[in-house]
Amino acid sequence: MDKVSIAIDGPAGAGKSTIAKKIAEAKKILYIDTGAMYRAITLKLLNNNVSLKNNEVILETLESTGIEFKEGSIYLDGINVDQEIRRPEINKNVSEVAAIPCVRKVLVNIQRKIAENNSVIMDGRDIGTRVLPFAKYKFFLTASVDERAKRRYIELKKNGYEQSYEEVAEEISKRDKMDTERKLDPLRKAEDAILVDTTGKTIDEVIDTIIEKIDTI
């Protein structure tokens, strides 16, 4: 059977990861959370006190880093980091790390190789425009800043992190600005992507919308 690729892009808090993971389960294909990959690299750089301006050390760190997905979880150098990569300090730094050219080059190559060998659903900021420009199905998920901030605030609180809603909303707005204005592979909707506004919608409603499109295209 031919390999099928589904690209889901959108800003922070739009529901990409949750929705992509459930669609992967429904369609029995591999789910790749590219945002988690950038978060994992961010975690390692911060833990090793690597300056985000030192490209030489960043590249050396990348070359000695292992990232794997197992049963829906991400492993950094063999250790499950599902919870650690959701810490507030990762949220604050991941957009800057994701804008570093050598980081993007290495991770994009990994992501493409995975898609060459598997049917995948992949979510991120530039999947439909850069990573998998020839994906059969492309979607761009969005939601209001208020809605996305509420979702992220609830997620952080659930995981035991104390951060005010106002701080989360400001952080979301800053990430939007960084992601859309960065020079390399900025966040934007692919011309052939289907726009899905998740504001006010439940996860199941969004999933039904996307699966219906996949089954009818």
Side-chain angles (χ1 to χ4, degrees), residues 35 41 48 57 69 97 121 133 145 152 199 205 207 215 217:
I41 294 298
N48 291 353
V57 177
F69 287 95
V97 172
I121 181 166
V145 171
R152 186 55 53 84
T199 305
E205 286 174 337
I207 290 171
D215 289 341
I217 292 175

Side-chain angles (χ1 to χ4, degrees), residues 7 10 13 44 50 57 64 94 110 137 146 148 150-151 173 180 195 197 204:
K44 184 162 184 177
V50 176
V57 177
S64 63
V94 65
I110 293 173
Y137 307 107
D146 178 61
R148 290 186 283 130
K150 286 178 180 176
R151 293 172 183 170
S173 295
T180 56
L195 178 65
D197 190 336
D204 287 340

Side-chain angles (χ1 to χ4, degrees), residues 27-167:
K27 292 295 184 180
K28 301 188 186 313
I29 60 177
L30 183 64
Y31 165 58
I32 302 297
D33 181 351
T34 64
M37 296 174 75
Y38 287 102
R39 284 174 173 272
I41 294 298
T42 302
L43 174 65
K44 184 162 184 177
L45 294 176
L46 293 180
N47 283 350
N48 291 353
N49 296 312
V50 176
S51 168
L52 301 186
K53 307 297 182 185
N54 193 329
N55 286 339
E56 184 177 346
V57 177
I58 290 173
L59 187 56
E60 289 176 359
T61 303
L62 285 169
E63 291 172 347
S64 63
T65 298
I67 295 178
E68 295 178 281
F69 287 95
K70 298 177 183 177
E71 299 179 352
S73 293
I74 186 167
Y75 287 75
L76 175 65
D77 297 328
I79 299 173
N80 185 314
V81 291
D82 283 345
Q83 296 301 316
E84 284 191 90
I85 62 172
R86 303 299 169 182
R87 296 187 332 223
E89 56 265 43
I90 304 300
N91 293 339
K92 292 176 181 178
N93 290 281
V94 65
S95 287
E96 183 176 353
V97 172
I100 299 172
C102 65
V103 173
R104 298 202 70 80
K105 182 177 180 180
V106 169
L107 293 191
V108 167
N109 284 339
I110 293 173
Q111 293 154 13
R112 284 176 172 168
K113 286 179 181 177
I114 294 173
E116 286 175 4
N117 298 306
N118 302 273
S119 286
V120 300
I121 181 166
M122 198 175 290
D123 75 280
R125 300 292 193 280
D126 63 343
I127 308 305
T129 56
R130 164 71 169 157
V131 182
L132 302 176
F134 301 110
K136 185 173 183 179
Y137 307 107
K138 297 181 185 179
F139 298 90
F140 190 93
L141 272 57
T142 187
S144 67
V145 171
D146 178 61
E147 176 107 357
R148 290 186 283 130
K150 286 178 180 176
R151 293 172 183 170
R152 186 55 53 84
Y153 172 74
I154 292 171
E155 178 187 26
L156 288 168
K157 194 170 183 178
K158 180 181 178 181
N159 290 326
Y161 300 116
E162 290 299 326
Q163 196 172 10
S164 72
Y165 165 80
E166 289 74 20
E167 289 175 323

Side-chain angles (χ1 to χ4, degrees), residues 188-204:
R188 61 182 176 85
K189 175 182 171 296
E191 290 184 5
D192 54 345
I194 297 171
L195 178 65
V196 180
D197 190 336
T198 68
T199 305
K201 292 184 173 67
T202 66
I203 292 172
D204 287 340

